[in-house]
């Protein structure tokens, strides 16, 4: 296993374990995070753990042209009164994601240090939030990292009303020009929306 010192570079992603774990340690500085995402690496760890860095193979992604929207969801989008915005309440979105209850997860991986680091990325123009509003109430949303290379690296989403985060995700994808959405690891929910696994080698080609 690779243990990172403060200024140490990431090892090549081919050194990742079978589960995709590449390295342990280092920090969550903006420079470190940007270096990670540019190499197809992301942080994911529980509270009271050291920083864990991942680069899974295969990689779970969504090509926007493959987006699947069910008939019932299309009807919901036509009839609902939800408003979708971008970058109107980044910190509120990431905090709401950190508070969301997840099946099989005892504590949040979006720690206070993670929130601080991604807010800094947002201030630098590299992180993005999508908000879903019911009148003046934030009822859903998602956030991720945009390096300006046509790839959006989705991090987390939350929903306080049925279909709110899904509405935000679909609307965002349909109105964007991304060539690839990085979903990182498999979920049934995102597979139902058209996401699929590709090799890590193929994924890295999209990062340029």
């Amino acid at each position: 296993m690779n243990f990172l010192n403060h200024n140490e570079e990431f090892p090549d992603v081919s050194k990742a374990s079978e589960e995709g774990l590449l390295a342990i340690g280092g920090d969550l500085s903006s420079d470190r995070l940007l270096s990670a995402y540019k190499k197809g690496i992301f942080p994911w760890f529980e509270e009271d753990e050291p920083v864990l860095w991942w680069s899974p193979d295969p990689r779970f992604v969504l090509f926007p042209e493959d987006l699947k929207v069910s008939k019932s969801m299309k009807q919901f989008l036509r009839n609902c009164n939800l408003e979708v915005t971008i970058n109107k309440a980044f910190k509120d979105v990431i905090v709401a994601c950190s508070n969301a209850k997840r099946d099989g997860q005892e504590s949040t991986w979006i720690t206070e240090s993670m929130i601080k680091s991604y807010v800094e990325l947002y201030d630098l123009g590299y992180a993005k939030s999508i908000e879903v509003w019911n009148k003046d109430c934030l009822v859903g949303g998602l956030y991720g990292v945009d390096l300006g290379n046509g790839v959006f690296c989705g991090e987390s989403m939350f929903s306080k009303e049925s279909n709110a985060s899904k509405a935000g995700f679909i609307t965002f994808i349909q109105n964007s020009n991304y060539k690839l959405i990085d979903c990182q690891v498999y979920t049934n929910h995102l597979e139902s929306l058209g996401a699929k696994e590709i090799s890590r080698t193929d994924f890295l080609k999209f990062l340029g």
Side-chain angles (χ1 to χ4, degrees), residues 3 14 16 19 41 45-46 56 63 84 86 90 96-97 101 104 122 124 134-135 140 144 166-167 185 206:
F3 292 88
S14 64
E19 294 78 17
I41 303 164
F45 58 99
E46 298 285 335
F63 293 96
V84 178
I86 295 178
F90 182 88
C97 287
K101 301 298 182 183
Y122 170 75
L124 292 170
N134 187 340
K135 297 181 180 178
K166 186 184 291 187
V185 294
F206 286 93

Side-chain angles (χ1 to χ4, degrees), residues 134-146:
N134 187 340
K135 297 181 180 178
D136 294 328
C137 183
L138 183 64
V139 297
L142 60 137
Y143 76 96
V145 175
D146 183 348

Side-chain angles (χ1 to χ4, degrees), residues 17 19-23 40-45 52-56 59:
S17 70
E19 294 78 17
L21 181 60
L22 177 66
I41 303 164
F42 59 89
W44 187 23
F45 58 99
L52 304 179
W53 300 95
W54 302 81
S55 183
R59 192 77 165 219

Side-chain angles (χ1 to χ4, degrees), residues 5 7 9 32 69 84 86 92 104-105 114-115 122 132 142 148 155 157 164 176 179 182 184 193 199:
N5 295 321
N7 295 315
E9 292 289 328
R32 169 76 74 181
V69 185
V84 178
I86 295 178
D92 291 338
Q105 185 174 307
M114 291 278 278
I115 291 172
Y122 170 75
V132 183
L142 60 137
E155 282 297 318
M157 60 178 65
S176 70
K179 58 188 179 183
D182 176 24
Q184 298 179 345
L193 292 171
S199 72

Side-chain angles (χ1 to χ4, degrees), residues 167-185:
F169 182 78
I170 291 171
T171 302
F172 172 60
I173 300 304
Q174 290 178 332
N175 291 279
S176 70
N177 294 313
Y178 292 107
K179 58 188 179 183
L180 184 70
I181 308 299
D182 176 24
C183 304
Q184 298 179 345
V185 294

